[in-house]
């Protein structure tokens, strides 16, 4: 296929304006392939950035492929995501690009899809896939969460003294990204000789970040830093620090570089965060799926891991471009 035609195919994968469309029989009468994008909570700013990036992708290129985009309403709604995948199997989509809410619980549905001849690609959150048969290995297209957490943790460590105490506010215990970020935070604190004096898991929400941070500040009044597994948790921690009257005395880091934390980076309430280019992640995953369909590749033929970039963002640093957001 000529490269221009292939580029148009790759670029034509896009979301509806709302980010949600009704699932129908995916085998369109004109023979177009259908790829499904299955997201986590459509109320999460990071998920919204993925949707926005894909919508911008659509505006720049003519559509030659159908894309069904679905997402859950809650941050950790495993049952709803399983239901979405099952409906897509019934609809006979040819590929599913999914950011799984639970890296273990979604595996049976993903394996069922592969058995039905559907290509399955993971983005944002890798599956805990221990299948012996490579036919059921699910490729992961996304960043190394442990590495990103270590990078931002190293930046916090450079602002602290040996022996200082910090707290870790993680994401859901069943979420692989949350697990890897917690490990990365600890890696960085160990390297800086900083003590992790408290750690707890939230649900990615501002409310849980605030509640956990308040408890930490009460039980560990000597804390000098808080490492948060996403920016929304960090925003809650920042509010807790304000309430506790400790503004400027406890440094906070986040993860995702969402728009809402930009003023906090500028005025110092947030020390640093991690950009993992959410606007492009969905496009990366769809690109892999399209290539597999164009080349008539099987699940077993796909590379198991394709790493995407991460970068620390702090005041005074040039904010990295949102890949895919302007072209």
């Amino acid at each position: 296929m000529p490269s221009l035609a292939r580029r148009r195919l790759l670029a034509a994968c896009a979301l509806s304006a709302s980010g949600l469309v009704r699932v129908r029989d995916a085998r369109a009468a004109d023979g177009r392939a259908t790829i499904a994008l299955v997201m986590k909570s459509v109320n999460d700013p990071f998920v919204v950035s993925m949707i926005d990036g894909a919508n911008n992708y659509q505006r720049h290129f003519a559509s030659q492929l159908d894309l069904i985009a679905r997402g859950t309403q809650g941050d950790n709604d495993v049952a709803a995501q399983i239901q979405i995948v099952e409906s897509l199997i019934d609809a006979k989509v040819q590929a599913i690009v999914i950011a799984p809410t639970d890296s273990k619980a979604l595996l049976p549905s993903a394996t069922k899809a592969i058995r039905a001849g559907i290509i399955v690609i993971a983005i944002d959150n890798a599956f805990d896939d221990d299948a012996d048969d490579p036919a059921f290995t699910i490729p992961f297209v996304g960043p190394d969460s442990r590495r990103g957490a270590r990078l931002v943790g190293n930046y916090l460590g450079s602002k602290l003294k040996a022996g200082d105490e910090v707290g870790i506010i993680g994401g859901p215990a069943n979420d692989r990204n949350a697990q890897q970020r917690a490990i990365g935070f600890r890696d960085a604190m160990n390297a800086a000789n900083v003590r992790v004096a408290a750690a707890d898991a939230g649900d990615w929400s501002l409310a849980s970040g605030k509640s956990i941070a308040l408890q930490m500040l009460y039980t560990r009044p000597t804390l000098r830093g808080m490492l948060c597994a996403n920016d929304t948790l960090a925003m809650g921690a920042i509010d807790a620090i304000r309430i506790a009257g400790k503004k400027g005395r406890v440094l906070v880091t986040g993860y995702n570089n969402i728009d809402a934390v930009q003023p906090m980076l500028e005025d110092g309430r947030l020390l640093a965060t991690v950009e993992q280019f959410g606007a492009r992640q969905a496009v990366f995953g769809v690109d892999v799926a399209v290539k597999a369909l164009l080349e008539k590749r099987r699940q077993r033929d796909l590379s198991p891991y394709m790493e995407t970039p991460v970068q620390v963002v702090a005041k005074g640093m040039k904010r990295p471009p949102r890949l895919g957001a302007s072209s």
Side-chain angles (χ1 to χ4, degrees):
M1 176 176 287
S3 61
L4 178 59
R6 180 178 174 277
R7 283 174 56 202
R8 286 168 64 84
L9 275 173
L10 295 177
C13 301
L15 300 173
S16 69
S18 66
L20 295 170
V21 296
R22 185 193 303 180
V23 175
R24 56 180 173 79
D25 191 307
R27 301 194 182 277
D30 61 6
R32 288 183 301 177
T34 298
I35 295 175
L37 181 64
V38 181
M39 305 300 293
K40 301 177 186 179
S41 171
V42 294
N43 297 310
D44 186 315
F46 183 64
V47 173
V48 171
S49 74
M50 289 182 168
I51 293 171
D52 288 345
N55 278 328
N56 190 64
Y57 206 44
Q58 180 183 38
R59 287 191 291 270
H60 282 75
F61 298 93
S63 177
Q64 296 182 29
L65 288 174
D66 288 334
L67 186 72
I68 296 170
R70 302 292 301 276
T72 62
Q73 292 300 311
D75 287 299
N76 198 31
D77 195 339
V78 176
Q81 209 176 45
I82 289 173
Q83 185 177 16
I84 289 170
V85 174
E86 295 288 336
S87 70
L88 292 168
I89 295 170
D90 292 341
K92 299 183 176 65
V93 298
Q94 284 142 307
I96 295 174
V97 178
I98 179 171
T101 54
D102 188 304
S103 55
K104 292 183 179 180
L106 267 293
L107 190 55
S109 294
T111 302
K112 180 180 176 181
I114 294 169
R115 286 198 174 100
I118 299 169
I119 292 290
V120 179
I121 308 292
I123 59 172
D124 183 50
N125 195 25
F127 279 94
D128 281 350
D129 189 356
D130 56 359
D132 295 327
D133 187 343
F136 298 106
T137 297
I138 302 173
F140 174 58
V141 181
D144 183 335
S145 284
R146 180 173 178 175
R147 178 173 177 270
R150 189 169 60 247
L151 289 174
V152 76
N154 287 342
Y155 188 77
L156 173 62
S158 72
K159 307 296 182 182
L160 300 176
K161 302 189 302 293
D164 279 347
E165 295 186 344
V166 299
I168 293 175
I169 303 179
N174 63 349
D175 185 281
R176 185 178 177 85
N177 278 346
Q179 295 164 6
Q180 291 298 303
R181 290 172 195 174
I183 294 171
F185 292 150
R186 289 183 181 274
D187 289 343
M189 294 303 97
N190 288 338
N193 291 316
V194 170
R195 181 170 174 252
V196 177
D200 202 354
D203 61 7
W204 299 128
S205 72
L206 189 151
S208 68
K210 180 178 178 179
S211 174
I212 292 169
L214 282 171
Q215 180 66 20
M216 285 184 179
L217 292 168
Y218 175 74
T219 58
R220 295 285 182 178
T222 57
L223 286 185
R224 288 282 294 117
M226 290 186 180
L227 298 124
C228 302
N230 79 349
D231 285 341
T232 310
L233 290 169
M235 290 168 67
I238 288 167
D239 198 29
I241 290 166
R242 177 190 61 80
I243 292 169
K246 293 196 172 186
K247 183 177 178 181
R249 287 188 279 164
V250 182
L251 302 176
V252 179
T253 64
Y255 206 108
N256 285 338
N257 194 31
I258 63 175
D259 288 339
V261 301
Q262 301 312 306
M264 299 177 185
L265 284 166
E266 287 302 312
D267 65 21
R269 286 175 290 168
L270 183 68
L271 176 69
T273 184
V274 176
E275 173 64 70
Q276 57 172 341
F277 306 100
R280 191 68 180 273
Q281 277 196 51
V283 175
F284 284 145
V286 170
D287 180 57
V288 172
V290 172
K291 287 178 181 176
L293 294 176
L294 288 174
E295 297 169 5
K296 302 186 184 305
R297 301 177 74 187
R298 300 168 298 174
Q299 189 78 22
R300 69 169 62 243
D301 299 326
L302 303 177
S303 299
Y305 181 38
M306 286 144 275
E307 185 174 353
T308 59
V310 290
Q311 183 175 335
V312 173
V313 179
K315 184 177 181 180
M317 293 182 181
K318 183 178 179 181
R319 184 178 176 184
R322 297 296 180 87
L323 298 181
S326 60
S327 62

